Amino acid sequence: MNPLPGPGLYVHFPWCVKKCPYCDFNSHPLDGDLDENGYVEALTGDFAANAGDLRFATVFLGGGTPSLFSAAAIHALLDRVRPSLAEDAEVTMEANPGAVEHGAFGAYRQAGVNRLSIGAQSFSTAMLARLGRIHGPDETERAVAEARAGGFDNINLDVMYGLPEQRPEDAVADLERAVALEPDHLSWYQLTIEPKTAFARHPPPTPDEGAIAAMEDAGRALLAGAGYRRYEISAYARPGAECRHNLVYWTFGDYLGIGAGAAGKRRRGSETVRTSKPRQPRLYLKSPGAVSEAPVPNGELPGEFMMNALRLVAGVDRRAFTERCGLPWSAVAPAWARTTALGLTEPNRIRATALGLQHLDRLVQFFL
Ligand SMILES: C[S@@+](CC[C@H](N)C(=O)[O-])C[C@H]1O[C@@H](n2cnc3c(N)ncnc32)[C@H](O)[C@@H]1O
Ligand code: SF4
């Protein structure tokens, strides 16, 4: 078995230009000026207090909208983090095509970001407006071109489907526009209506199950034909361009979370500990190093592990379960035997069958 990936470093940037109606991430509309130096100072204090002697294989600058921060601010942050990074660390930054300065991509690349994740969502002008996005398709296309020109050779596009009143042919048209930009990686998410969002308060008419299935069949065929391998429920990559940071999550690895509302998880001795930070930027900024910890009871580990690992199309070796959870395989053997008998999992590898992947939520229930 190859060594399992990790640890990862997640850095949260909690502001956006405005809140999208479908989004339940910890993101706050920016009112007034962004005190980027103040926030970067807080992040570096947080990192110094909590990183210990970890050596990070991956970094993910997520949000919110990290691209609201100047390349100089990102550079300052990465300079402080760099001594704790593995030599070939993957460093991803999320960018909103409507919230990134022209000409800035080269400077982000110089700052040490080597993977860019661009929130395209759709390429229909009308749909983007309905999703409350602050950009049109042309800005996404320009962002990709500028990122390439700025030296990025590892680019992801986020695209969503199952959007309000979307027809299967619309979802396919979105993917065609996305693929034409030749991203290295594509995250293709079905829109979910999250509690407490504007869409939950005023639900838009979303496509029915049949239409969703038609989108998935056509979309997956299109992506496969264009050379993108589906390696996780929602993630498609060209060979070698799988997101290493997300693989840390999906193999239930350790990650440190810094920034407002950032979550973390790590093995400590014989226990697994989850960490969290205050969600409100104001509270976070008062004591950035402070962290709440909660041990994960042993009984919850199998469910948490399977919820992640079974998302991987190729699955993981059984030994990963013991390595990540500190539990013997016998802890899940009876449940595994049941799911295998039902045709949902493979007998000798932690891997869902095609049927299991289709009914992943039900499958995971067996381990909860
Ligand atoms: C933190 S955002 C990405 C960066 C940036 N904030 C942006 O929106 O351009 C992460 C991604 O999650 C996806 N996402 C957010 N809310 C979603 C929802 N309710 N259902 C499905 N996908 C969602 C979107 O594709 C989004 O790009
Ligand atoms: S820009 Fe991204 S993080 Fe911000 S509200 Fe929209 S989807 Fe959420």
Side-chain angles (χ1 to χ4, degrees):
M1 184 173 82
N2 290 327
L4 292 167
L9 170 66
Y10 177 77
V11 188
H12 194 73
F13 295 80
W15 294 283
C16 292
V17 172
K18 63 183 265 234
K19 187 83 187 171
C20 304
Y22 54 85
C23 176
D24 79 336
F25 285 80
N26 183 35
S27 61
H28 307 265
L30 188 62
D31 57 350
D33 287 341
L34 179 65
D35 175 11
E36 54 174 27
N37 292 334
Y39 195 66
V40 166
E41 262 316 297
L43 288 174
T44 52
D46 190 348
F47 184 77
N50 294 300
D53 55 5
L54 289 172
R55 202 171 166 75
F56 298 97
T58 62
V59 182
F60 197 98
L61 311 177
T65 307
S67 61
L68 281 175
F69 282 65
S70 68
I74 299 294
H75 206 139
L77 171 69
L78 290 177
D79 279 348
R80 300 285 283 274
V81 165
R82 196 163 290 115
S84 303
L85 299 189
E87 210 176 309
D88 62 342
E90 173 190 273
V91 183
T92 304
M93 185 180 87
E94 286 185 334
N96 180 320
V100 64
E101 249 176 82
H102 284 297
F105 286 112
Y108 287 121
R109 183 71 193 83
Q110 291 300 314
V113 179
N114 54 29
R115 182 174 183 273
L116 205 65
S117 178
I118 299 176
Q121 318 309 352
S122 171
F123 288 85
S124 147
T125 303
M127 188 64 83
L128 287 168
R130 197 155 183 189
L131 294 174
R133 300 293 296 180
I134 56 167
H135 57 87
D138 42 336
E139 278 159 294
T140 304
E141 285 163 356
R142 194 163 56 208
V144 174
E146 288 189 1
R148 290 282 187 218
F152 280 96
D153 59 6
N154 197 356
I155 297 178
N156 167 62
L157 291 180
D158 282 345
V159 177
M160 296 193 290
Y161 67 98
L163 299 172
E165 289 176 83
Q166 192 178 46
R167 300 165 303 172
E169 57 268 38
D170 304 326
V172 168
D174 273 349
L175 281 183
E176 279 168 351
R177 293 275 295 269
V179 163
L181 297 174
E182 303 194 0
D184 305 277
H185 189 285
L186 245 155
S187 296
W188 193 43
Y189 301 115
Q190 182 181 351
L191 175 72
T192 51
I193 304 298
E194 302 291 344
K196 295 188 191 156
T197 58
F199 272 5
R201 286 187 292 277
H202 306 283
T206 46
D208 61 27
E209 250 175 60
I212 294 287
M215 289 177 195
E216 290 175 342
D217 287 347
R220 284 174 199 153
L222 183 151
L223 290 171
Y228 296 91
R229 191 176 69 95
R230 184 185 187 210
Y231 70 102
E232 187 264 353
I233 285 279
S234 310
Y236 300 77
R238 287 188 164 162
E242 294 81 9
C243 175
R244 286 164 51 200
H245 185 79
N246 284 342
L247 285 169
V248 175
Y249 300 145
W250 296 324
T251 59
F252 204 50
D254 287 358
Y255 55 98
L256 173 68
I258 63 170
K265 178 233 151 202
R266 68 164 170 276
R267 288 286 295 162
R268 194 172 57 195
S270 61
E271 43 169 33
T272 299
V273 181
R274 286 209 176 276
T275 61
S276 59
K277 316 282 296 184
R279 284 172 66 84
Q280 279 296 333
R282 206 169 23 82
L283 289 179
Y284 171 75
L285 285 162
K286 277 190 190 153
S287 53
V291 54
S292 313
E293 294 193 345
V296 184
N298 270 353
E300 290 178 15
L301 286 173
E304 296 225 3
F305 177 90
M306 293 300 176
M307 198 185 294
N308 287 287
L310 290 172
R311 300 177 65 91
L312 289 169
V313 174
V316 288
D317 192 280
R318 273 191 185 182
R319 278 173 292 174
F321 175 75
T322 300
E323 194 170 313
R324 293 302 209 200
C325 301
L327 297 172
W329 179 253
S330 58
V332 285
W336 194 265
R338 277 198 297 280
T339 57
T340 300
L342 288 168
L344 300 171
T345 54
E346 288 192 356
N348 298 317
R349 184 176 171 78
I350 301 175
R351 184 181 189 200
T353 59
L355 183 70
L357 267 189
Q358 239 177 19
H359 302 281
L360 191 60
D361 291 345
R362 255 191 58 210
L363 168 55
V364 170
Q365 295 292 324
F366 283 84
F367 302 94
L368 295 178

